[in-house]
Amino acid sequence: MHLVSSQGWTVISDIDDTIRVSQVLDKQALMQNTFCRPFVPVDDMATLYRRWQVHLGCAFFYVSGSSWALYDPLCDFVRTNQFPEGVFELRRVYAGDASLLQLLRTPQNYKLDTISAILQRWPHRRYILVGDTGERDPEVYGALARQYPEQIRWIFLRDVTSHPRDAERYRAALEGLPPNAGNSSPIPPPSQPPPIFPNKYNKSRFHHKNIV
């Protein structure tokens, strides 16, 4: 059981290609990485999350379009790789039901509804949204930041595509949000590593958006 106080910082994190190497854009590789191979963590993300936990006292929600059938291996993955423990929000899928096909589709609506429920349940907490550019995280997080501007303070997107930062997709997804305000937030951008960020991200690149 994880108790979350009424105030403080919360990290809402995607799982696939954000903290776990899944290769969501390659469906065959995704199936192999999910059901046939050991789970592999994204470099340095556990270190980043632990530092957020230590310096900001963050609570963590892991929100994924994966099935609840993966709850046990995902919990083991989080513990084994020293990610902070947190609340898991996964999709319910039933054998023989049309919901089974939803696992192969974008989880955009599911994430919008699930994260909205978290924001409404804890309206006085401040939020950091962390995802990737492989599916619809930019669009989901942008829509949520426009709807909950007082709560969502930062958006971080791990770049798993070859699109430039100023691509039309990202401009449209983050339209209407204030420009990056540099050091006005206690969470510095990746170009300023200490004290929150690890010294390197290996091959991971991040788009970041300061909402404050």
Side-chain angles (χ1 to χ4, degrees):
M1 178 181 295
H2 297 273
L3 300 179
V4 179
S5 63
S6 61
Q7 296 185 341
W9 284 92
T10 297
V11 174
I12 297 179
S13 174
D14 179 47
I15 295 177
D16 291 318
D17 288 329
T18 298
I19 66 171
R20 181 177 82 87
V21 177
S22 305
Q23 296 179 273
V24 168
L25 296 179
D26 182 334
K27 296 307 179 185
Q28 182 176 353
L30 172 63
M31 292 296 105
Q32 292 175 339
N33 290 330
T34 301
F35 299 109
C36 304
R37 299 169 180 164
F39 289 177
V40 176
V42 173
D43 288 342
D44 298 323
M45 290 302 291
T47 300
L48 170 62
Y49 282 12
R50 289 197 308 274
R51 292 190 180 186
W52 276 347
Q53 185 181 47
V54 169
H55 288 274
L56 298 176
C58 291
F60 284 79
F61 284 79
Y62 297 102
V63 178
S64 172
S66 297
S67 165
W68 272 105
L70 292 174
Y71 173 75
D72 286 339
L74 285 173
C75 275
D76 290 342
F77 165 78
V78 164
R79 293 193 189 101
T80 300
N81 292 284
Q82 299 183 317
F83 285 94
E85 292 192 7
V87 178
F88 282 82
E89 294 287 352
L90 307 173
R91 279 198 284 189
R92 299 190 183 279
V93 178
Y94 303 96
D97 188 274
S99 63
L100 195 59
L101 298 176
Q102 296 299 320
L103 288 178
L104 298 177
R105 300 173 184 168
T106 176
Q108 182 169 355
N109 291 337
Y110 161 79
K111 282 192 172 182
L112 279 169
D113 293 343
T114 301
I115 297 174
S116 290
I118 295 170
L119 296 169
Q120 292 166 17
R121 172 65 179 82
W122 289 277
H124 301 298
R125 292 185 68 84
R126 293 169 290 178
Y127 293 84
I128 305 164
L129 307 185
V130 188
D132 62 86
T133 61
E135 290 193 302
R136 306 298 291 179
D137 285 348
E139 290 76 11
V140 170
Y141 291 176
L144 289 165
R146 286 187 287 272
Q147 186 175 356
Y148 302 95
E150 298 301 318
Q151 294 167 258
I152 296 174
R153 300 303 182 93
W154 278 86
I155 295 171
F156 286 91
L157 298 166
R158 179 173 177 262
D159 188 8
V160 296
T161 72
S162 59
H163 300 150
R165 288 182 179 229
D166 61 351
E168 175 58 30
R169 177 195 177 190
Y170 304 135
R171 288 201 299 268
L174 303 176
E175 183 179 6
L177 302 184
N180 185 2
N183 293 326
S184 65
S185 167
I187 307 223
S191 59
Q192 301 174 355
I196 307 296
F197 286 84
N199 291 328
K200 62 184 180 63
Y201 279 100
N202 202 343
K203 295 183 179 180
S204 298
R205 293 193 299 136
F206 277 82
H207 304 300
H208 60 278
K209 191 75 172 178
N210 184 358
I211 310 302
V212 297

